[in-house]
Amino acid sequence: MNPHSLLAALPGFAIAPHAIQVLPDAAAYRTCLLERIASATRRIVIVALYLQQDEAGQEVLDALYQAKARRPSLEITVVVDWFRARRGLLGAGRQPGNAAWYQAQRELHGLDVVIHGVPVQTRELFGVLHLKGSVIDDCVLYTGASLNNVYLHRFERYRLDRYHLFDCPALADAMVDVVQRLLHHTATPRLDLPDAPPTRRLRGDIRRLRARLRRMLYDAPAATPGQGLRVIPLLGVGRGNPLNRTVCALLAAAESQVIISTPYFNPPRLVMREIDQALARGVNVELIVGHRTANDFYIAPGEPFSASGALPYLYEDNLRGFARRRQAAIASGQLQVRIWNDPGHTFHAKGVWVDLRYSLLTGNNLNPRGFNLDLENGLLIDDPHGQWLAPRAQELAGLRRHAPLLTSAAQLGEKAEHPKQVTKLLRRLRYSRLEPLIKRVL
């Protein structure tokens, strides 16, 4: 099937332009989330990589318990990654993890705010719950953000993401349905209750869960000729899944413009091939990538170093090599590379825009891990008649605000300028020939 036919055949939901709202920043999202929780009357389903024990996380969990206390019939389910909830922060030593906090909060309030942990693989290294999209009554709140101080801009620092609201009951029902089918009484244990089983006891259930996930799809109406604005939900885990195929089809279908935003520049071969083929067709390609200091793994000079602190430099090396090999396209303006950097803040916005028709929202980092290991999803906005161009352009302008154009790969500096600890670690990876494997699981 050619890419245009594949995209035209995707099932999705008709939606009015005014039913899709774009929030401008993390602070606006935090305000909206808390207001929607407070006004919920029927159901709340929160889906995130993690709900962190900090001030912003406490604010969200307090809001959920307060909503439940006001309306006992309100159904509240929180879904987070199993492994992330049961360990501490990277580089912070041994910690009990957020699960202990969930249990303490349940004991304190005595109310049924259900929190499930989802193990997508038997080890965190090989796959996590990267599903996005929460539902409050009939509204879908779609963002790549997790729930903590920096993602919600609780204090001085923020991590920029994308924030969309869809007032579409049918889409909300479809996304809740997938969450309900995802949850399993043994494979996705409750984290708010004591005595959660060790992961080793779940291994068989996890393997069966992953096999079931590979077959799972959103339930959406079939496409019909002549449809207007639609939103298309996509689910993906493992190679060749519907989300991966759609990303590649979008890039292959591009006729005039492709825009890709990712905080971590480590494209899988399929995506790199489609980028190069788009350039060969004469398509204008724009990349929006976070500066190494805007990476959430960045460790500032003088702070204790850990191995994860080398990741921003590895991503920068990838981008430098990519830009050098395509310097002619950069010089002609056909390839635009933007480096997002608002000092003191971090960047986490992901997505694909093609021509003036398609806008893909996703938590997928468009890297080998997202394409092969994690449980991912996305919402594709198909706008064949240009009904939603103004909000689209406004969001892109916001993403470009702190992202000046790169005029040459030389602006990214040289590997020789890396801190000594980073240089030593990356050299060891290359000499041990582990670098390709490491890139596949980052």
Side-chain angles (χ1 to χ4, degrees):
M1 184 181 294
N2 69 57
H4 295 281
S5 298
L6 188 152
L7 295 171
L10 292 172
F13 299 93
I15 191 168
H18 63 77
I20 309 176
Q21 181 183 355
V22 184
L23 301 179
D25 52 40
Y29 172 64
R30 174 171 150 258
T31 299
C32 175
L33 176 63
L34 294 174
E35 288 177 349
R36 293 272 179 165
I37 290 173
S39 63
T41 61
R42 186 162 55 95
R43 64 184 177 187
I44 299 174
V45 179
I46 302 292
V47 181
L49 176 62
Y50 58 85
L51 169 60
Q52 183 68 33
Q53 184 183 4
D54 60 13
E55 289 84 355
Q58 187 69 63
E59 195 172 26
V60 171
L61 198 51
D62 284 346
L64 293 172
Y65 275 111
Q66 289 164 11
K68 184 68 175 179
R70 284 192 301 270
R71 294 186 176 88
S73 63
L74 185 64
E75 295 183 2
I76 301 178
T77 303
V78 179
V79 180
V80 295
D81 181 70
W82 166 261
F83 296 101
R84 182 65 177 77
R86 287 162 57 87
R87 65 162 172 82
L89 299 172
L90 288 176
R94 294 184 62 85
Q95 296 174 323
N98 294 316
W101 171 55
Y102 303 154
Q103 293 164 23
Q105 290 294 297
R106 179 182 178 82
E107 186 174 353
L108 174 65
H109 293 280
L111 296 172
D112 207 24
V113 172
V114 177
I115 304 179
H116 281 272
V118 176
V120 172
Q121 262 289 13
T122 54
R123 297 180 187 275
E124 183 179 4
L125 179 65
F126 300 121
V128 298
L129 174 81
H130 221 230
L131 209 64
K132 310 299 177 184
S134 299
V135 175
I136 300 178
D137 291 337
D138 289 330
C139 179
V140 175
L141 293 80
Y142 195 92
T143 177
S146 292
L147 300 167
N148 73 354
N149 285 337
V150 67
Y151 275 116
L152 298 181
H153 201 174
R154 182 64 172 77
F155 296 112
E156 294 83 6
R157 297 175 61 241
Y158 71 83
R159 181 166 296 145
L160 183 68
D161 214 291
R162 303 177 66 196
Y163 319 93
H164 291 71
L165 275 63
F166 297 83
D167 285 309
C168 180
L171 174 64
D173 288 345
M175 297 193 76
V176 170
D177 173 65
V178 159
V179 171
Q180 290 174 341
R181 285 187 281 142
L182 168 68
L183 299 180
H184 186 271
H185 67 283
T186 57
T188 60
R190 294 271 294 270
L191 289 168
D192 58 307
L193 298 178
D195 303 321
T199 303
R200 63 178 179 275
R201 280 176 44 193
L202 302 176
R203 286 175 181 166
D205 286 315
I206 294 170
R207 293 187 183 99
R208 287 186 286 274
L209 172 65
R210 190 170 179 87
R212 188 157 50 89
L213 288 172
R214 288 179 181 274
R215 301 188 297 272
M216 199 178 292
L217 299 170
Y218 286 104
D219 186 9
T224 58
Q227 281 188 305
L229 186 67
R230 293 191 305 149
V231 56
I232 298 163
L234 300 158
L235 195 66
V237 62
R239 295 182 180 179
N241 65 63
L243 178 59
N244 293 359
R245 293 199 302 271
T246 300
V247 169
C248 292
L250 284 169
L251 300 177
E255 297 176 356
S256 60
Q257 183 186 48
V258 165
I259 303 170
I260 297 174
S261 179
T262 177
Y264 316 115
F265 191 77
N266 184 28
R269 291 179 181 177
L270 290 173
V271 171
M272 193 71 81
R273 182 187 68 191
E274 294 296 348
I275 290 173
D276 282 333
Q277 290 182 354
L279 289 170
R281 293 196 305 274
V283 174
N284 292 321
V285 175
E286 177 181 346
L287 302 178
I288 306 173
V289 182
H291 189 269
R292 69 168 179 271
T293 59
N295 190 297
D296 44 324
F297 291 107
Y298 178 72
I299 299 174
E303 294 183 3
F305 182 77
S306 66
S308 61
L311 296 180
Y313 298 90
L314 183 59
Y315 296 131
E316 187 179 70
D317 289 349
N318 291 343
L319 183 60
R320 184 187 298 106
F322 171 88
R324 281 178 173 167
R325 290 188 292 274
R326 296 158 184 82
Q327 181 59 47
I330 292 175
S332 71
Q334 186 192 4
L335 173 61
Q336 295 187 345
V337 179
R338 295 181 178 272
I339 308 298
W340 191 96
N341 187 21
D342 186 7
H345 307 289
T346 47
F347 183 75
H348 199 249
K350 304 114 180 236
V352 179
W353 297 257
V354 168
D355 299 334
L356 292 178
R357 175 167 180 172
Y358 297 107
S359 304
L360 177 66
L361 320 175
T362 183
N364 194 314
N365 290 306
L366 306 177
N367 61 3
R369 182 183 181 92
F371 262 51
N372 298 308
L373 300 177
D374 297 337
L375 173 59
E376 306 276 2
N377 70 348
L379 295 179
L380 177 62
I381 300 171
D382 180 9
D383 184 18
H385 306 308
Q387 298 172 274
W388 197 69
L389 292 180
R392 179 186 195 269
Q394 188 173 6
E395 185 195 17
L396 282 168
L399 292 176
R400 294 177 180 129
R401 181 182 171 197
H402 296 289
L405 277 172
L406 189 79
T407 57
S408 168
Q411 289 179 257
L412 293 169
E414 300 292 336
K415 292 182 181 180
E417 299 170 0
H418 292 347
K420 290 182 179 179
Q421 293 163 303
V422 171
T423 300
K424 183 178 180 180
L425 181 58
L426 294 183
R427 185 181 293 126
R428 282 181 177 176
L429 285 177
R430 291 180 183 120
Y431 286 161
S432 66
R433 299 183 181 178
L434 288 176
E435 187 177 18
L437 175 61
I438 295 296
K439 287 183 177 180
R440 289 184 60 83
V441 298
L442 292 181

